[in-house]
Amino acid sequence: MLSSIHPFGERSRNSSWGRTISAYLVGSIAGGTTTGLAFGLIGEVVDGFVNARLGLTLLGVAAIVGVSADLGVLGLGIPGPQRQVNERWLMAYRGWVYGAGFGFQLGLGLVTIVTTSSVWLTWFVAVMVGSWQLGALIGAAFGLARGVFIFAGARVDTPDRLRALHQSIAERAVVVQRMATAAVATTAVLALTLGVTS
């Protein structure tokens, strides 16, 4: 959405960037909260069958599978849909409508392309906490974290700045992917260590 929702793009569509991104952030947090709540409810069902030690061990194993998927080990890939938000909405609806709609879909985390196993791992944690309240809180944090990236385009008010933003994103993509994989690997080590020693 960074390529579409920025001051330059909103001005070209006679929309208010501030109103659009506010709706986008609210939508993203709502989407994340919805998914987190759903997985938290699942967690409440399985909570009686999983003690802390088993939960940490399962989290560690899930993280190892996630790192393997991120790295493409044995041909593994990251599961998820191969769709993005419908950019035709940009011309069909008001800014706050597509802002909220795009934010909600991206906040859900699982209805658009999933590029890192950390997304799935987040929802696994929402199950493992065994609480719909904590699951919703994890989801809200996920939605907020996804939503704030829209501010990367805050200074895009000319075509040159838009090109510079695209170039910057392309240059940093590999580094960000490696950081996400490293975070999942760290989760695997910590969870397995705590699972074994607890």
Side-chain angles (χ1 to χ4, degrees):
M1 291 311 5
L2 291 177
S3 62
S4 303
I5 300 178
H6 42 72
F8 178 63
E10 291 307 289
R11 192 170 64 237
S12 72
R13 291 185 290 273
N14 293 317
S15 291
S16 162
W17 182 73
R19 190 176 304 126
T20 300
I21 64 158
S22 296
Y24 179 88
L25 282 172
V26 169
S28 187
I29 293 167
T33 302
T34 301
T35 305
L37 173 65
F39 281 110
L41 286 169
I42 293 168
E44 287 195 349
V45 172
V46 301
D47 190 47
F49 305 101
V50 181
N51 61 28
R53 184 176 190 173
L54 178 58
L56 286 166
T57 303
L58 290 173
L59 176 59
V61 171
I64 289 170
V65 172
V67 169
S68 300
D70 284 343
L71 298 175
V73 174
L74 300 174
L76 286 177
I78 301 163
Q82 295 301 308
R83 68 172 287 273
Q84 273 296 10
V85 295
N86 187 345
E87 293 209 359
R88 285 180 289 186
W89 287 18
L90 293 169
M91 296 304 163
Y93 302 110
R94 295 179 182 271
W96 68 268
V97 174
Y98 60 73
F102 290 170
F104 188 77
Q105 291 176 69
L106 293 169
L108 286 171
L110 301 176
V111 299
T112 57
I113 296 171
V114 179
T115 59
T116 170
S117 67
S118 62
V119 173
W120 286 106
L121 199 61
T122 299
W123 305 131
F124 189 85
V125 170
V127 172
M128 289 293 102
V129 295
S131 160
W132 68 265
Q133 296 97 328
L134 289 176
L137 185 61
I138 289 167
F142 174 88
L144 176 63
R146 272 201 121 163
V148 296
F149 282 103
I150 200 76
F151 288 103
R155 295 180 12 166
V156 174
D157 55 4
T158 65
D160 287 340
R161 286 192 169 175
L162 180 58
R163 279 189 289 275
L165 175 66
H166 282 251
Q167 183 177 353
S168 176
I169 291 169
E171 289 170 354
R172 290 176 170 82
V174 173
V175 173
V176 171
Q177 184 67 39
R178 287 180 183 157
M179 288 171 62
T181 302
V184 174
T186 302
T187 301
V189 171
L190 289 174
L192 288 172
T193 301
L194 290 170
V196 168
T197 60
S198 63

